[in-house]
Structures are given as C-alpha cells and as structure tokens.
C-alpha cells in the first residue's frame, strides 16, 4: 500500500513542479538555458545513495534545517521529486517545442485567455507526452530503493526495500521471491501502459524547430524568471547542501580537508582506492556503455518503428524490462548467466555491458518518437533519386533525428557514471567506479569517511554535469551545421 501511495504522490508532485519549467524551456530563450538544461539532468544520474545523503544533510538528524524528517513520507516524496524532475522537464519540453506556437496564438486571436488557450489547444496535444513521462516517474518511484532505504523506516518501506530486508536480515528467500514476482507483475503492467502512451506521442510535426524568442519585458519576463528561480530552488538546494558539506571538515571548520582525505589519510586509503583510478574507470566504462547502448538502442528503435504492431509492442515491453528490474537483480543475473559459451564473469567488459543494459531503455524511449516522426515521403524521395536503404537512412533519418541521438548518448553516459546496484555485484577490487568508492566510504563509521564520501559525490556530480553540458553543446553545434 505504501509503495503505491508514495509512487502516486511522487508522480503528481513531480509533474506539477516540472511542467512550468518544461514550458519555459520549450517556448523561451534566456541566458544560461543550456547550462540549466544540462544541470537539470545531474540529480537523475546521481547514485541514489548520494541523493539520500544530501537529503539527510538537509532534513536529517543533523540537517541544516533543524527538523528531522527521516522516516516520514514527505522527505521520501521530496527526494523523488528532486530525482525525477528532469524526466518531465526534458520529455515534455522536447515534445512541446515541436508544436507550432501559432496554433495557440490563433486561439488568443479569437479571444481566448492565455489559460483557456493552453487548456483547450496546447494541453490536449501535450497530454500523451505528459502521461508517458508520468508513467516513467511512477515506475521509478515504484521501484525506488536507495532513497527509501536511507530516508525511510519500518513504517515507510517499499516492496524493493522489503525484498532486500527479507533477504539480508531474515534470510526469508520465499517471501523475498514472492514480493519480487509481485513487483515484476506490477512493473509489467506499468510498462504496458507506458508503451501505449509513448506510441501516442509519435505524431508527425515539422522538424524545423526555430530558436524560441526571449520573454517580453514585464509580466511575461517576471513569470519566466520566477519559474527558473523555483527550478533552481528545487534542484539547487540539495546540491548546494552537498557542496557545502563537502567543504565542511570533520572538526566543523571550512576547507578542503574532505578532499585531501581522499588522497592522504591512511584510515581512508586502507579501505578505499585511489580516487583517480575510480574516476578513470567510470569515464572509460561510461564511454563504452554509451556506445553499446546507442548502437543497440537505435537498432531496437528502428525495428520497433518498422515492425508490425504485435511485434513492436512485444519488443517494446522486452526492452523496457530493465527499467523495472532491480539493478541488483541484473548484476546477480549477470554472474549466474554469463558463464557460457564465453565466461565473462571475470572480464572487465562486463561492467559497461551491464551499464548499457540499464541505459538501452532510455535510448529507445528517446529515439523511437523521433524516428517515427520522420515523414515517409522524404524517404520515398531519396529512394526515387537512387539511394539505397542504408544511404536513405543515413542522409534522411540520421540527420533529422540527430538531436535525439545526442540526448540519448548523453543519458547513457550519465546513467553509466552513476550506476550502483548492478556494479556492486560485478565490479572487482581493481576495477572500482566512483559510486562503489562512495559506498565503501559511507559504510565506515565516523565523520571523516562520511566527509570524504560527500566530497567524492560532489566530484561525481561535477563530472556528470560537465559531460552533459559538453555533449549537449557539441550536439547542437553539429545539428546547426547540418541544417
């Protein structure tokens, strides 16, 4: 009951908080827009342990707010809003910017107020995109583990946490497996609904998306500024707390002691690894995982677009299963299954493969609407001029869906950087990643390891944010040059 209730409440509040920001990104240009778009993805790709630690520092027993909200529904829900905010913003704004603004302007010309024009014209067109992103937020909240584990208690526990507790604390594998089956049934139903809603967003729009104008001085600029400010508060407060705690040394002073402890303290290095090794491993694994995920994801999206209805829906449900399956289950399954015909269980390539498996559903969800929206007469025109199927896809489809490919690659890279659950099973002592290193530090008592974990979490957030910004900027430059 609590799993369903908190997922529903988290979804409602996330959509309500993120929808105004999606409108601003789709309809206006402003200074710092690209930076803010890239930064909005950082919470989503952070390890859940880091998100939980940030909210503990904000409203935990020693939080800066002075109020202990641990074990309450609201702290869990607020953490889910922070974590899933980017899904609604990026998903809805990408669809919204493809809608011709002259449609709503025509309603205004006929006497409709701004709210009535939005409610009667724009909202019906946006409804499939809002519904599909809401289903995705509900899915992530339904299967939430790290956030609920750190911020909840015995009264506020989800199916995912109870599976872990029954397995590790009570060794009740029968109860844990029953809960896992029930969870998979629920996830399957959610994925069926999500796939149906996602297909409804495959509407053919013009691909000539012009740069939106700046807000007009006065009331419009004030509304845009207030929405951007609210976005900064929602996303910036936990990250600011995380950053502030990283510069608060164990003695309570302010400085770089936590960062220095990553390299110097014997008590840290005895149970830790060289942070540069972890950072290097995470970057290499993320690049490989992004390549694998983009290749398989795009091929799957193309197959789903051109296959029959039954085949497309079956493939869609199969590809989406990793989204609803616990990452811990995926990692354990890799150890059990990948011993034949080639034993990959001791190979380092297993880590980016697992990361790619988690990222492929995102690649498919991002690229499939763009591929389906390519007008068929463009392909027919290319074929009439003598282009074969491969050349037609490369000169027509690949160029029109270039933006979606860049976003998909960015998502796959960022997800790999923050993946934790599956990596705990398949990573070896000599191949740690940044989340594994953070987990090792959080498992040690005392303020010094916790401070070092917060510092490394800040480094992970900085790397992810920078990577998202660079990929987004390079992708936009390439798309403009092609146009």
């Amino acid at each position: 009951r609590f799993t369903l209730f908190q997922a529903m409440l988290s979804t409602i509040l996330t959509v309500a908080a993120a929808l105004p920001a999606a409108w601003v990104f789709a309809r206006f240009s402003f200074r710092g827009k690209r930076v803010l778009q890239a930064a909005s993805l950082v919470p989503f790709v952070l390890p859940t342990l880091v998100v939980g630690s940030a909210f503990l520092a904000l409203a935990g027993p020693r939080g800066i707010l002075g109020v202990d909200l641990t074990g309450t529904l609201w702290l869990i829900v607020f953490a889910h809003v922070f974590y899933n905010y980017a899904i609604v913003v990026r998903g809805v704004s990408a669809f919204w910017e493809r809608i011709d603004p002259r449609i709503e302007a025509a309603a205004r010309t006929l006497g409709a107020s701004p709210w009535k024009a939005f409610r009667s014209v724009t909202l019906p067109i946006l409804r499939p995109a809002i519904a599909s992103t809401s289903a995705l937020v509900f899915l992530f909240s339904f299967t939430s583990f790290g956030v609920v584990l750190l911020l909840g208690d015995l009264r506020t526990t989800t199916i995912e946490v109870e599976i872990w507790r029954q397995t590790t604390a009570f060794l009740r594998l029968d109860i844990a497996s029953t809960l896992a089956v029930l969870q998979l049934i629920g996830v399957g139903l959610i994925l069926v609904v999500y796939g149906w809603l996602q297909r409804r967003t495959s509407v053919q729009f013009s691909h000539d998306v012009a740069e939106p104008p700046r807000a007009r001085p006065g009331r419009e600029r004030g509304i845009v500024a207030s929405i951007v400010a609210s976005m900064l508060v929602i996303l910036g407060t936990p990250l600011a707390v995380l950053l502030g705690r990283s510069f608060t040394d164990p003695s309570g002073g302010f400085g770089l002691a936590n960062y220095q402890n990553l390299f110097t303290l014997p008590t840290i290095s005895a149970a830790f690894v060289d942070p540069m090794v972890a950072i290097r491993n995470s970057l290499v694994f993320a690049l490989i995982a992004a390549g694998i995920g983009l290749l398989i994801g795009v091929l799957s999206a193309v197959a789903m677009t051109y296959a029959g209805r039954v085949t497309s829906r079956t493939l869609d449900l199969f590809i989406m299963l990793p989204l609803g399956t616990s990452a811990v289950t995926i990692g354990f399954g890799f150890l059990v299954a990948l011993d034949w015909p080639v034993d990959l269980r001791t190979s380092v390539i297993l880590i980016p493969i697992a990361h790619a498996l988690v990222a492929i559903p995102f690649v498919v969800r991002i690229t499939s609407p763009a591929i389906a929206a390519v007008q068929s007469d463009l392909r027919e025109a290319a074929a009439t001029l003598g282009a074969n199927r491969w050349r037609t896809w490369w000169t027509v489809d690949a160029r029109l869906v270039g933006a979606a490919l860049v976003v998909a690659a960015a998502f796959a890279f960022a997800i790999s950087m923050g993946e934790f659950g599956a990596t705990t099973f398949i990573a070896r002592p000599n191949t740690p990643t940044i989340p594994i290193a953070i987990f090792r530090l959080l498992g040690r008592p005392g303020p010094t390891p916790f401070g070092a974990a917060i510092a490394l979490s800040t480094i992970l957030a900085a790397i992810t944010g920078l990577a998202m910004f660079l990929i987004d900027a390079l992708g936009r430059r390439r798309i403009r040059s092609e146009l």
Side-chain angles (χ1 to χ4, degrees):
R1 183 172 63 248
F2 179 79
T3 300
L4 292 172
F5 180 69
Q6 63 84 20
M8 186 178 302
L9 185 60
S10 298
T11 303
I12 294 173
L13 292 182
T14 302
V15 172
L19 200 57
W23 170 68
V24 169
F25 280 132
R27 290 298 185 228
F28 298 99
S29 294
F30 53 90
R31 184 175 300 176
K33 178 180 177 179
R34 294 180 184 174
V35 176
L36 192 59
Q37 282 180 318
S40 67
L41 293 173
V42 174
F44 180 70
V45 298
L46 283 178
T48 54
L49 290 175
V50 176
V51 176
S53 299
F55 275 85
L56 284 177
L58 181 66
R62 300 179 182 179
I64 62 173
L65 295 181
V67 179
D68 185 10
L69 296 179
T70 54
T72 64
L73 168 68
W74 294 110
L75 189 60
I76 295 173
V77 170
F78 291 153
H80 285 164
V81 172
F82 169 79
Y83 194 75
N84 297 314
Y85 189 88
I87 297 176
V88 178
V89 172
R90 297 299 290 258
V92 175
S93 65
F95 189 86
W96 204 330
E97 67 182 2
R98 293 158 56 198
I99 301 176
D100 194 339
R102 291 174 297 183
I103 299 176
E104 190 170 322
R108 296 287 306 277
T109 303
L110 295 174
S113 63
W115 168 247
K116 186 174 183 179
F118 169 77
R119 180 172 53 86
S120 59
V121 177
T122 306
L123 184 59
I125 304 176
L126 281 177
R127 191 173 290 120
I130 296 174
S132 62
T133 53
S134 299
L136 199 57
V137 172
F138 184 90
L139 176 63
F140 287 134
S141 301
F142 183 81
T143 58
S144 179
F145 174 67
V147 169
V148 181
L149 182 64
L150 289 183
L151 305 182
D153 56 17
L154 293 177
R155 295 177 294 106
T156 54
T157 183
T158 59
I159 295 177
E160 188 86 356
V161 175
E162 193 61 26
I163 292 172
W164 172 82
R165 181 178 292 120
Q166 291 293 332
T167 302
T168 59
F170 305 113
L171 296 179
R172 292 301 305 271
L173 301 183
D174 52 346
I175 296 179
S177 60
T178 303
L179 289 174
V181 171
L182 293 176
Q183 184 189 50
L184 287 175
I185 294 174
V187 166
L189 294 175
I190 298 172
L191 292 179
V192 170
V193 174
Y194 175 67
W196 175 72
L197 293 172
Q198 185 69 23
R199 284 189 293 272
R200 294 185 62 189
T201 65
S202 299
V203 181
Q204 290 189 351
F205 292 101
S206 171
H207 287 277
D208 187 16
V209 180
E211 184 72 16
R214 291 184 175 272
R216 294 187 295 269
R219 183 170 179 267
E220 187 176 75
R221 183 170 294 180
I223 294 175
V224 172
S226 62
I227 292 174
V228 172
S230 67
M231 182 179 182
L232 292 175
V233 171
I234 293 173
L235 300 182
T237 301
L239 294 177
V241 172
L242 185 70
L243 180 63
R245 289 295 296 268
S246 72
F247 289 104
T248 304
D249 59 44
S251 62
F254 188 81
L256 299 175
N258 291 327
Y259 293 92
Q260 295 172 350
N261 289 340
L262 291 174
F263 302 91
T264 59
L265 280 185
T267 56
I268 297 298
S269 60
F272 193 38
V273 294
D274 187 346
M276 297 306 297
V277 174
I279 293 173
R280 182 196 63 195
N281 291 339
S282 292
L283 290 174
V284 173
F285 294 154
L287 289 173
I288 299 175
I292 298 174
L294 194 63
L295 175 62
I296 299 178
V298 171
L299 292 176
S300 301
V302 172
M304 290 168 50
T305 301
Y306 298 120
R309 176 177 297 183
V310 176
T311 304
S312 177
R313 292 183 179 180
T314 304
L315 182 60
D316 183 42
L317 179 60
F318 178 76
I319 291 174
M320 291 292 290
L321 281 178
L323 281 181
T325 305
S326 171
V328 173
T329 303
I330 292 176
F332 181 72
F334 270 42
L335 292 180
V336 173
L338 296 185
D339 60 340
W340 184 88
V342 179
D343 192 351
L344 296 177
R345 293 175 297 179
T346 59
S347 174
V348 69
I349 194 63
L350 195 61
I351 297 177
I353 290 176
H355 292 182
L357 179 63
V358 178
I360 286 173
F362 293 95
V363 176
V364 173
R365 291 275 68 82
I366 293 170
T367 57
S368 59
I371 294 174
V374 176
Q375 298 178 6
S376 58
D377 56 352
L378 297 177
R379 302 189 188 98
E380 295 172 358
T384 302
L385 296 174
N388 56 31
R389 290 187 178 182
W390 168 252
R391 185 173 179 83
T392 299
W393 190 90
W394 179 253
T395 57
V396 178
D397 296 68
R399 293 178 181 271
L400 292 178
V401 302
L405 295 178
V406 172
V407 174
F411 259 99
F413 180 90
I415 288 170
S416 176
M417 288 292 297
E419 207 290 318
F420 171 70
T423 313
T424 57
F425 276 85
I426 57 181
R428 295 295 178 262
N430 61 335
T431 57
T433 61
I434 297 178
I436 294 296
I438 294 172
F439 179 71
R440 292 182 185 178
L441 286 173
L442 289 176
R444 302 200 64 191
T448 299
F450 179 79
I454 295 298
L456 193 56
S457 301
T458 305
I459 294 175
L460 175 59
I463 293 175
T464 306
L466 180 61
M468 296 300 297
F469 172 75
L470 291 177
I471 292 175
D472 185 67
L474 292 174
R476 289 176 182 271
R477 182 182 304 174
R478 183 181 66 85
I479 293 167
R480 285 198 300 268
S481 65
E482 292 175 353
L483 294 176

